Amino acid sequence: MKLNIDIKNNKFELEDGAIIRVKDIGDEFVIEANPSGLISLAKHLLILASDKFESGDHIHYEAGMMLVEGSVNFVIEKI
């Protein structure tokens, strides 16, 4: 699969049809996603890694917004 990723707009949006679910299974958590959800997460990481963001900048993933309802919320922060 070849995928062109445009991170110029710096928007943390989900791809059409993206499904991302996060489960807490004790001492770790599991991120489950369909292909559109995995592409969305990959784009978010690339955007956050870009020079336009500084240490301390972060993305919140919350149930009912970026994540499937009932998921565990989490944050990814750039250091």
Side-chain angles (χ1 to χ4, degrees):
M1 167 174 48
K2 183 176 181 176
L3 181 65
N4 292 319
I5 298 176
D6 179 13
I7 61 169
K8 292 178 185 174
N9 68 12
N10 294 325
K11 294 183 181 176
F12 297 104
E13 300 173 330
L14 294 177
E15 296 288 301
D16 289 340
I19 298 171
I20 306 171
R21 177 177 34 242
V22 181
K23 296 190 280 187
D24 181 351
I25 57 171
D27 60 347
E28 58 189 13
F29 66 96
V30 176
I31 298 173
E32 300 175 328
N34 67 355
S36 294
L38 291 171
I39 291 168
S40 298
L41 290 170
K43 284 183 175 181
H44 295 175
L45 291 172
L46 289 169
I47 291 167
L48 190 59
S50 73
D51 292 337
K52 296 181 181 185
F53 291 89
E54 299 178 2
S55 179
D57 288 337
H58 56 276
I59 312 166
H60 288 264
Y61 292 86
E62 298 178 7
M65 293 179 69
M66 293 262 214
L67 306 175
V68 170
E69 198 65 50
S71 292
V72 175
N73 299 339
F74 72 98
V75 174
I76 297 177
E77 184 172 322
K78 182 174 185 175
I79 58 171

